[in-house]
Structures are given as C-alpha cells and as structure tokens.
Amino acid sequence: MKYKCENELNTLSFKDFGLSSVSYTNGKLTLMTDGGIARYDNSCNEMLEERYISECEITFFDANILRFFKEGGKYFDANDKLIEEYPDVDIDPSEYEKMLKELTKEGVIFFLSSSKTEARPYYELSVDVVNDTYWINIDASKVIVGFERFMNKVVQ
C-alpha cells in the first residue's frame, strides 16, 4: 500500500463503505473495505480537505475480540405501543470466523471508532447486514490503515 496511517482512525471515515473481506488469525484482524474518506487532519492528506480514498486494508495488531454480538431492538406500533423486543445475541467465539465471512456478503460499515483505555486502545466496529447490525468490540495494540491512492474531494 502506498499510504499507511498508524493509529489514526479518528481522521478516517468508513461509514457506508462495503466490507469486502475479513480475516482474524493469530491475533491479527484485517478488514478490506471498498474505500473510505480521509479527513482534512489525516497525516497522509496534503490537501487539507476531506477526500475519498481507494480500497483500504485496516489491520488491528495483537487484536482480541472482547465482544461480538448481533444488536437487539424493539418494535413499536403506530401508537408507540411495544409489540416485540429482541435482546442482543452474543456470537460464540467458535463462530467468529463463520460470522466474519457472513459480514462480507452484504455488510456495510456503519461505525468505526477508537478510544484509549488505561492499557491499550479500544475499538468499536458496527456492520449493517440487510436488516441486522453486528457490533465487534476490539482491544488491540495498534491499527494500521493502508490504501493506494486519494481520489476526488468530498462534496457536501
């Protein structure tokens, strides 16, 4: 990859970009996206304005999936009366590989953020798949995002 950003997820956006592949082996979680947006404050972005970027490889090193779950929800009728409630459903660790592959079929990244805990950075990834939303909470030592080129500027 021509450009690499280390621990700069807060200067990138992947909202509404497709997830083309995911792998999780030997403590390394790698996501391939259809693209993304580099904000004006990204270290690789020399234009100081938001720009689209080509396909991205997002790699979490020393990654540990803390929680992987399908988001629950509530359904209400037109009178705001609760009809049905669905709880969050945790994915069993033995099913991680299978479910990660499922996310690439029609998955679209909704949210990816980072925060710093006392020991290590902490990341949250939300992927929408048709009518369901899956959340992955990740603890990792660092994350590197690589991409080949910048494209057009983002027009608001």
Side-chain angles (χ1 to χ4, degrees):
M1 298 283 171
K2 184 176 178 182
Y3 297 99
K4 291 190 187 276
C5 307
E6 185 173 327
N7 296 329
E8 287 191 73
L9 281 182
N10 57 339
T11 67
L12 298 161
S13 173
F14 302 99
K15 184 174 171 38
D16 297 332
F17 285 92
L19 195 57
S20 54
S21 73
V22 180
S23 69
Y24 181 50
T25 54
N26 300 324
K28 189 167 134 181
L29 176 64
T30 303
L31 313 170
M32 292 296 295
T33 70
D34 296 340
I37 295 173
R39 291 184 27 191
Y40 66 90
D41 55 351
N42 181 274
S43 65
C44 295
N45 188 353
E46 298 170 350
M47 300 293 279
L48 299 177
E49 59 189 351
E50 290 188 342
R51 297 168 68 192
Y52 289 106
I53 52 180
S54 61
E55 299 82 13
C56 297
E57 180 181 80
I58 307 166
T59 306
F60 297 88
F61 292 89
D62 301 317
N64 181 26
I65 295 179
L66 302 174
R67 187 170 182 215
F68 186 1
F69 65 98
K70 179 178 164 184
E71 184 178 69
K74 297 179 181 181
Y75 292 100
F76 295 88
D77 67 11
N79 295 320
D80 209 25
K81 181 180 174 191
L82 181 64
I83 297 172
E84 202 165 2
E85 185 173 355
Y86 297 96
D88 291 346
V89 177
D90 285 313
I91 307 298
D92 187 85
S94 65
E95 296 288 312
Y96 284 178
E97 188 175 333
K98 177 184 167 200
M99 287 307 301
L100 288 169
K101 287 189 187 322
E102 287 294 316
L103 296 181
T104 63
K105 290 185 179 173
E106 295 183 44
V108 175
I109 295 176
F110 177 69
F111 182 74
L112 179 59
S113 75
S114 64
S115 63
K116 183 94 169 143
T117 60
E118 288 180 24
R120 292 163 43 122
Y122 173 81
Y123 305 92
E124 286 187 317
L125 170 66
S126 171
V127 180
D128 288 339
V129 181
V130 188
N131 294 326
D132 296 319
T133 300
Y134 292 87
W135 287 87
I136 305 172
N137 300 332
I138 307 159
D139 161 273
S141 62
K142 68 179 177 180
V143 60
I144 294 180
V145 178
F147 56 96
E148 285 297 323
R149 66 185 186 284
F150 283 97
M151 300 190 300
N152 296 337
K153 67 180 182 175
V154 176
V155 179
Q156 303 280 340

